[in-house]
Amino acid sequence: QDQLQQKIICPGPVTCLTASPNGLYILAGVAESIYLWEVSNGNLLAILNRHYQDLTCLCFTDDSSHFLSGAKDCLALVWNLYNVLQAEPSQIPDPRHVWSRHSLPITDLCCGFGGPLARAATASLDQTAKLWEISSGELLLSVLFDVGIMAVTLDLSEYHMFCGGMDGSIFQVDLCAWPVQRDRTFQTERENGKVFKGHRNQVTCLSVSTDGSLLLSGSHDETVRLWDIQSKQCLKTMNHKGPVTNAFIVLAPANMFNPDGKPSVPLPKFSRHLHGTESSDEPGTEGVTLRLGLHQQEPGQSYLEKAEKMYSQMYSTREKNLVGDQEHLTIQVSELEEEVSNLRKINKDLFDFSTRIITKPAK
């Protein structure tokens, strides 16, 4: 059996967890708070308290510039990671958008591709799944079902949205259907060939393959199923010994099948206190810390002052070099002019000599 490399104790029971695609940050939902850690050193960078009830889901955009949070308070929040990192420890940054169009707890979030221009989908127990635009915060689509929605995902081309219901059904919503309607009702009896049937209990997670041909689903019926999207047929069923809470499709890392492949750098323990307060007194936190936008508390020159001083030194050195270069260039020009005059004299002598030989009368 694989051995657990390290146990990281969090401030409380974790209800949702996600990592940024660039691998630099970890987000965790603990009660109604969002905890943000830096992976490289384990520092706790921020604690966000803008939800009123327990967190249920978290997700990043594909470029790691924004992240979304959903909770039982029916709110979905969009956060700018840069603003969160630059905020003062005593202040709670404001989310970029607050989506409050759901009337019951949010159960799942999904973010498409495009960074801050991407579209995001939310699922809720109010029997709706909604599609949003992150850049403007506008609601693009709301689909009403006859059951509560527990999971939602988008295919890579964002042509379909897949929603998992509490009754075990999986619904396929065409995002490019005509005519375009912002509020739509999904009627199972009329939507022929757009329902995956096989699970006997609520669907908890959904994931689509990169080529858009396969759908993976997990359920509380203790099974994970792999579906062919085109035919809606179940290709494989994997049984578990308990309810499945999460399952997803990922590209296999290059060294995944290498038996000798091991992490080169061990994961540090995650701090339980905000970075810059209690965490600074803990042993083993030495290293270089860079917090952009924050003024240094200790006396001395700030970063801008040091940069300005360094620039002035570089500029003065450059001026000296330019003066020295001009003197050196003047000497070089005089030497080249003298060499050109010598070459001209030699050329004239050769011309005169050749002329005398050619014009010399024959005896």
Side-chain angles (χ1 to χ4, degrees), residues 106-361:
I106 293 176
T107 55
D108 198 14
L109 286 170
C110 175
C111 188
F113 287 88
L117 302 178
R119 296 183 294 181
T122 59
S124 173
L125 293 178
D126 62 4
Q127 302 184 0
T128 64
K130 300 182 185 295
L131 189 67
W132 310 80
E133 187 177 48
I134 293 180
S135 58
S136 63
E138 182 182 358
L139 175 63
L140 303 178
L141 175 66
S142 179
V143 184
L144 176 63
F145 300 89
D146 53 4
V147 295
I149 303 301
M150 301 299 299
V152 64
T153 190
L154 300 168
D155 62 355
L156 196 62
S157 61
E158 298 185 18
Y159 192 81
H160 300 292
M161 180 170 64
F162 300 92
C163 306
M166 294 190 66
D167 62 349
S169 300
I170 302 173
F171 310 101
Q172 175 181 314
V173 180
D174 294 335
L175 300 180
C176 300
W178 188 264
V180 178
Q181 297 176 342
R182 176 168 295 186
D183 296 310
R184 194 186 308 175
T185 301
F186 190 96
Q187 297 179 354
T188 306
E189 62 276 4
R190 295 183 182 180
E191 302 288 349
N192 296 326
K194 296 182 179 180
V195 181
F196 300 80
K197 294 184 178 180
H199 285 296
R200 300 181 305 275
N201 204 335
Q202 66 182 28
V203 177
T204 56
C205 50
L206 295 170
S207 181
V208 181
S209 61
T210 54
D211 61 355
S213 63
L214 300 175
L215 175 68
L216 185 72
S217 62
S219 172
H220 276 189
D221 63 4
E222 303 182 359
T223 63
V224 171
R225 291 178 180 262
L226 189 65
W227 308 83
D228 178 71
I229 293 178
Q230 186 67 27
S231 63
K232 306 296 184 295
Q233 297 297 315
C234 181
L235 303 179
K236 188 175 182 180
T237 301
M238 292 156 278
N239 296 314
H240 291 263
K241 296 182 180 180
V244 177
T245 57
N246 203 359
F248 52 91
I249 299 175
V250 294
L251 295 175
N255 62 343
M256 179 177 179
F257 301 103
N258 182 10
D260 298 329
K262 295 181 180 179
S264 57
V265 179
L267 193 67
K269 292 185 177 180
F270 288 174
S271 174
R272 302 181 66 178
H273 303 284
L274 278 176
H275 176 61
T277 55
E278 290 86 346
S279 61
S280 60
D281 300 331
E282 297 178 0
T285 58
E286 63 275 0
V288 179
T289 301
L290 179 62
R291 296 294 300 278
L292 299 177
L294 292 179
H295 299 288
Q296 296 181 354
Q297 301 296 330
E298 63 274 7
Q301 290 181 326
S302 66
Y303 170 77
L304 293 178
E305 293 174 345
K306 292 181 179 179
E308 185 177 358
K309 182 179 179 181
M310 184 179 297
Y311 177 78
S312 62
Q313 292 177 352
M314 293 174 59
Y315 187 78
S316 61
T317 305
R318 181 184 176 189
E319 288 291 335
K320 293 179 181 178
N321 291 337
L322 287 176
V323 173
D325 290 342
Q326 289 179 355
E327 295 177 354
H328 183 66
L329 184 61
T330 304
I331 297 174
Q332 280 188 333
V333 169
S334 61
E335 292 177 351
L336 289 175
E337 289 178 348
E338 184 179 357
E339 185 176 357
V340 168
S341 63
N342 292 332
L343 291 175
R344 286 178 178 174
K345 184 176 182 303
I346 294 173
N347 188 29
K348 185 176 183 302
D349 294 341
L350 287 174
F351 180 76
D352 294 341
F353 178 74
S354 301
T355 304
R356 286 197 301 270
I357 293 179
I358 295 174
T359 58
K360 185 177 181 180

Side-chain angles (χ1 to χ4, degrees), residues 48-77:
L48 307 176
N49 298 295
R50 288 300 299 266
H51 284 284
Y52 305 103
Q53 294 185 32
D54 291 354
L55 270 292
T56 57
C57 44
L58 291 164
C59 72
F60 271 96
T61 56
D62 61 327
D63 65 344
S64 304
S65 64
H66 292 72
F67 62 90
L68 288 75
S69 62
K72 293 181 179 180
D73 57 5
C74 315
L75 296 179
L77 307 182

